[in-house]
Amino acid sequence: MQKSNIKKKQKITDSRQSIDLKSQFKKVDTGIKNGVFIYTNTLSIEQFANKINKTSSEILKYFFLKGKIKNINTILTEEEMGELCLEYNYDFEKKVAIDESNILSNLEIKDDPSMLKPRPPIVTIMGHVDHGKTTLLDYIRKSNITKSEAGGITQSIGAYQIKYNNKKITFIDTPGHAIFTEMRARGANVTDIVILVVAADDGIKPQTIEAIDHAKAAKVPIIVFINKCDKPNVKPENVLKQLCEHDLTPEEWNGDTIVVKGSALNGTNIDKLLQAILLTSEILELKANPNRLGLGVVIESSLSKSLGPVATIIIKNGTVARGDMMIAGSCYGKIRAIFDENNHQVNEAKPSQPVKIAGLNNVPLAGDNFVVSKNEKDIKSIAEKIHLYQANLLNREQELLAKHINENDKKLIIILKTDTNGSLEAIKSMLSKINIDGVTTTIIRGATGGITKSDVELAKASKGFIIGFNVKPTKDVKDLANNQHVTIYFFDIIYNLNDAIKKMIKGKLDPILVETENGEAEVKQIWTHSVIGTIIGCVVNNGVINRNDLVRVLRDGVVIHKTKIASLRHKKDDITKIEAGKECGITLDKYNDLNVGDIIQSYKIVEKKQDE
């Protein structure tokens, strides 16, 4: 018998450490334990009273004596709960209960120190608009592109890695201040170091201060890059003084803030900036375990025509590989493809590496935490429960909003769907800056992905409309929108969207009532008719007098009465109008007290839409 020379395919074992997600769930029993009040969330007065074995009336009386009127359904703040605990001689402590709704932002990873390896720092560049953030990022990126790649590079994933002195640095160029804050609010502190860009010729501005506040709140070290130092007559020392006012004392002034003076345009001292990043990274001792299943944060996402839902992720710990089962927010799926920042396919990504992945069942949100697990059943179960939790939360928010939408209120209710999270945040930011008195703009749903039937139903219920930015609905959705009389607007240029929204807002405003003068006549003679009443003989000095015009009666230049023309005659004929230079007879509606020499000015009121 001839031996087969076909070798059996060996199964490759995955030695990466896994994490049992459900083992991380933690239930917290609220109430008094050993003289300490344990709680997870704020409570109503009735709920709080039951937990500390008091009556609601005792607590209501406590607040009443302090001049605060509350009822048993009033939700206490954490400060008020603490105040009451002290009043009743209890200490208090807040604990976090962990379940499907918050598991991804509360994972506890315990790595053997011997498994930890140094990882590249993750850097976000922030600062005031036009101070050179993009120019700096572009210079750093282009200086690290090899000649073979330079022609076809498409920097599209929102982050990239460079090598400097044989060490890697990851730069994020997606988050503006709003996204940076949103990520932090979701427990996604992805940034290790913030580079604060300040223009030497402009100094610290409002957005600079905002960036400083965000970085400090996130407890992230700040390196300051004073840009545009190549400009004539600039004084970087003025920026140093301003930095001190915000508790960022430069090292050269015996402080601990690294400040680099240079130019992003021509690359002056960019090497010093990169050295400062590596030095700060060494001090921070950034480490991760590459030999575990990856976890990290989504920094961008979109719906691709060819790949379906895609997400740009940064790995905080572990390794992400093609074929891994991943959960990101309420989305899950098996990773089908991984792309680096140059759109090259790779098989895996290591700690601090930014990559784009395809294979999720839906588009996750920027700031969503992700984790890879071998337990596909757990991943699906948790993702579905997160989706249900988020849907219930959204429904409650929309119900509350619907209650506050008054028929008489002038509101622009918008459901916003975009192709990427970057577009979504940019449009949200743009709309928040449109400030026109008399109309409020409310986005009741903002998400990436195609326009769905659910969006149409929400628009119908809230009397709103849908904006699609680089996304289109299916025929079924279009048909439903037509049947429900829901308007869908499509845009692919953000400035056109901005102009259109302003026009829509102004269309909601009450029209301006503008008086337009028609003509002017002088009273020459007055006589009384037994049936008609006072007849006024006039000469039209200018313009045209129309029957039924509104009129002002002026005496010595002062308006003494406003009314309208009841009849207009020329000789014996009723007429509809009379022009300058002609005589006419006029009767006024319910007004007879005129003198010879009075002036009758005729006018009309025109409704004019408010201009932009």
Side-chain angles (χ1 to χ4, degrees), residues 37 102 227 235 338 360 505 534 538 569 578:
F37 174 64
N102 62 356
N227 192 26
K235 295 181 178 179
I338 304 176
L360 296 175
I505 291 174
T534 302
C538 302
R569 294 175 67 90
I578 191 162

Side-chain angles (χ1 to χ4, degrees), residues 367-537:
D368 275 349
N369 292 281
F370 76 82
V371 65
V372 170
S373 173
K374 293 177 182 177
N375 193 324
E376 186 173 337
K377 185 179 176 183
D378 278 1
I379 276 191
K380 286 183 178 179
S381 169
I382 291 171
E384 285 165 3
K385 287 182 179 176
I386 291 174
H387 177 75
L388 187 62
Y389 171 79
Q390 291 176 346
N392 289 337
L393 195 64
L394 181 64
N395 288 338
R396 285 199 296 272
E397 289 173 353
Q398 288 165 359
E399 283 171 11
L400 287 171
L401 180 65
K403 287 178 182 177
H404 289 91
I405 294 177
N406 190 305
E407 289 286 344
N408 298 320
D409 288 347
K410 291 179 173 58
K411 296 180 188 287
L412 218 57
I413 309 297
I414 299 171
I415 290 88
L416 174 63
K417 300 301 287 287
T418 66
D419 57 339
T420 69
N421 266 302
S423 300
L424 182 67
E425 295 304 326
I427 293 169
K428 280 183 178 178
S429 174
M430 178 198 73
L431 293 180
S432 70
K433 292 172 185 171
I434 299 176
N435 186 16
I436 298 173
D437 290 340
V439 178
T440 58
T441 302
T442 305
I443 299 174
I444 61 172
R445 177 180 291 170
T448 55
I451 297 166
T452 65
K453 290 183 178 181
S454 171
D455 297 326
V456 174
E457 288 159 2
L458 178 58
K460 174 70 174 177
S462 60
K463 297 181 176 63
F465 60 90
I466 300 169
I467 289 177
F469 189 81
N470 282 333
V471 295
K472 292 287 180 75
T474 62
K475 183 180 182 301
D476 288 347
V477 173
K478 276 184 188 175
D479 290 344
L480 179 63
N482 290 334
N483 292 335
Q484 298 289 341
H485 304 291
V486 168
T487 304
I488 305 177
Y489 296 98
F490 303 105
F491 297 93
D492 56 9
I493 299 174
I494 202 165
Y495 303 108
N496 292 347
L497 169 57
N498 186 43
D499 292 342
I501 291 295
K502 285 181 179 178
K503 287 176 183 175
M504 290 178 202
I505 291 174
K506 295 200 167 69
K508 283 271 183 181
L509 293 171
D510 290 330
I512 303 170
L513 301 179
V514 180
E515 289 186 0
T516 304
E517 289 188 9
N518 293 333
E520 188 174 282
E522 182 180 348
V523 178
K524 294 292 186 180
Q525 187 178 355
I526 298 171
W527 61 92
T528 303
H529 189 279
S530 58
V531 177
I532 299 172
T534 302
I535 300 172
I536 310 155

Side-chain angles (χ1 to χ4, degrees), residues 86-256:
L86 295 175
E87 173 69 16
Y88 296 118
N89 297 316
Y90 296 123
D91 202 348
F92 53 94
E93 180 184 356
K94 184 175 184 179
K95 290 188 176 181
V96 177
I98 300 174
D99 57 19
E100 291 90 350
S101 67
N102 62 356
I103 178 68
L104 296 181
S105 54
N106 287 285
L107 287 173
E108 287 188 16
I109 306 298
K110 294 179 181 178
D111 282 308
D112 182 337
S114 66
M115 302 294 290
L116 297 175
K117 307 292 181 188
R119 68 169 176 84
I122 300 168
V123 180
T124 298
I125 297 183
M126 303 177 78
H128 192 71
V129 66
D130 293 332
H131 276 203
K133 300 187 298 293
T134 303
T135 307
L136 177 59
L137 279 162
D138 285 347
Y139 185 89
I140 293 171
R141 179 173 63 91
K142 287 172 184 173
S143 64
N144 277 267
I145 295 171
T146 63
K147 288 182 180 178
S148 61
E149 294 174 329
I153 286 295
T154 302
Q155 170 55 32
S156 60
I157 76 165
Y160 57 84
Q161 262 189 353
I162 69 157
K163 256 191 179 181
Y164 181 75
N165 288 347
N166 290 319
K167 292 184 179 179
K168 293 179 180 178
I169 303 171
T170 297
F171 288 92
I172 303 177
D173 66 354
T174 296
H177 301 172
I179 301 178
F180 187 89
T181 309
E182 184 182 342
M183 284 187 174
R184 280 189 47 244
R186 294 193 199 172
N189 283 350
V190 68
T191 303
D192 299 313
I193 300 168
V194 164
I195 303 298
L196 183 70
V197 179
V198 186
D201 61 342
D202 207 14
I204 287 179
K205 294 293 179 183
Q207 278 186 314
T208 321
I209 298 169
E210 189 180 306
I212 293 170
D213 291 342
H214 289 324
K216 284 183 176 178
K219 297 179 180 177
V220 176
I222 298 171
I223 297 172
V224 178
F225 181 70
I226 302 180
N227 192 26
K228 304 185 182 182
C229 289
D230 53 334
K231 282 193 168 186
N233 304 318
V234 296
K235 295 181 178 179
E237 292 74 22
N238 293 339
V239 176
L240 300 182
K241 290 177 187 175
Q242 291 178 317
L243 290 170
C244 291
E245 293 170 8
H246 294 279
D247 299 321
L248 294 175
T249 307
E251 284 182 332
E252 62 184 279
W253 289 8
N254 299 317
D256 53 14

Side-chain angles (χ1 to χ4, degrees), residues 524-567:
K524 294 292 186 180
Q525 187 178 355
I526 298 171
W527 61 92
T528 303
H529 189 279
S530 58
V531 177
I532 299 172
T534 302
I535 300 172
I536 310 155
C538 302
V539 173
V540 180
N541 292 334
N542 57 67
V544 176
I545 305 291
N546 299 287
R547 189 170 61 198
N548 298 326
D549 269 356
L550 297 170
V551 296
R552 289 183 285 261
V553 179
L554 281 72
R555 186 171 297 160
D556 298 324
V558 177
V559 177
I560 61 172
H561 193 73
K562 285 185 175 183
T563 182
K564 66 179 181 178
I565 294 174
S567 68

